[in-house]
Amino acid sequence: MNTKKIAFLTGITGQDGSYLAELLLDKGYVVHATMRRASTFNTERIEHIMEHERLHLHHGDITDPTNIMRLISEVKPDEIYNLAAQSHVAVSFEVPHYTAQVDATGTLTILEAMRAHCPNAKFYQASTSELYGGMEYNKNGYGVYNERSAFHPRSPYGVAKLYGFWIIKNYRESYGLFACNGILFNHESERRGKTFVTRKITTNMVQVQKGKRNVLTIGNLDAERDWGHAQEYVEGMWRMLQQDKAQDFILATGKTYKVRTFIEMTAKHLGWEIEWKGSGVEEKGYDKETGKLLVEVDPKYFRPAEVDRLIGDPAKAKEMLGWEAKIGLEELVERMVNYDLKHE
Ligand code: NAP
Ligand code: F7E
């Protein structure tokens, strides 16, 4: 494909932003992206593309409307991907106001810039399964969410993203902007931040095996998530903007697993079989063969309100975008563990 389309991307230094930038550059786009000034390097995930002739990096922060207005008025993009966020659910309880500024008002700032300077562009908003909150499961014993399911966010992050969701929909309805929400269920990878549960498990258990750490210390072992691979999900984001009509889509695998299952699968790749003993905060995981302690629970990782269980129904994305997740949990775990065995 040889196109001169221009994309404006926030959050390029994050997991999804790095994969999306690769995808857009491969498709021939000129990519303008914002990155934050930091006192340490925050470009680890994009080192390999930073010198690309069609990638233009700008200092930016979506809490600064003057910065976003100026950049969008200069770049005049065809497509905008807003991936920037304070994306950590547990941290959002500690910095709720900041989370709202970035995840809620930040989205509004970009929409306003688009309305003023490139109203014919297409806008992708990184929305989330955290909007649902898992309460259906608590009430009814099930919890497969689709695009028509009711929302009940359970964290300042979820509530801020709910504003983002509705302001996107409102600008679509009020001003006819092409703006859509990708309601993405959890997606992980070798590039996942190391404080999210999957990557925490793979890095910490590899470190235990290498003798660099004593034990994996974890929170709620029974939370259930619908985990896919991030590289496949950024393709779905792009496909949403290639439609004729702006709509909201779920991307998910349609399967859910417990945190403890993720631990067991990681252990298996490292040659251990976990035996669980005890319950609640006293529960511990041992290597069945040697009796070595591998996992313990620390309530400091529990959240003030938890999302117990999430499963997404990706049928609409399959039908209208031709998108489906192909990488299952087994392959996801294997890829993450193999990467961490080389790098931790
Ligand atoms: P991530 O790895 O945490 O990346 C977040 C990105 O946002 C980073 O580039 C970060 O920059 C940037 N950022 C944070 N605050 C900013 C600000 N004030 N101004 C400008 N940039 C800022 O997140 P991710 O997993 O790639 O997720 C991408 C997006 O999808 C996020 O909006 C997230 O909420 C949403 N989402 C993620 C998932 C998932 O499972 N991964 C699921 C649903 C929705 P620094 O590198 O400088 O920190
Ligand atoms: O937690 C439990 C925790 O932090 C998953 C973000 O990308 O996906 C992500 O949010 C589950 C929760 O992701 C630990 O309580 C147990 O039930 O990996 P997580 P998240 O909260 O689902 C959504 C879709 C997003 O939109 C977000 O941006 O695992 N858990 N023990 C733990 N979680 C962490 N982080 N650390 C633990 O030690």
Side-chain angles (χ1 to χ4, degrees), residues 62-77:
I62 66 168
T63 61
D64 179 344
T66 60
N67 164 263
I68 296 298
M69 280 285 175
R70 180 177 52 77
L71 287 175
I72 289 188
S73 73
E74 287 170 7
V75 168
K76 293 216 172 16

Side-chain angles (χ1 to χ4, degrees), residues 20-40:
L20 181 64
E22 281 171 12
L23 180 122
L24 294 172
L25 290 169
D26 279 354
K27 288 187 184 295
Y29 281 70
V30 174
V31 178
H32 288 264
T34 64
M35 55 173 280
R36 294 194 291 180
R37 187 268 160 185
S39 67
T40 51

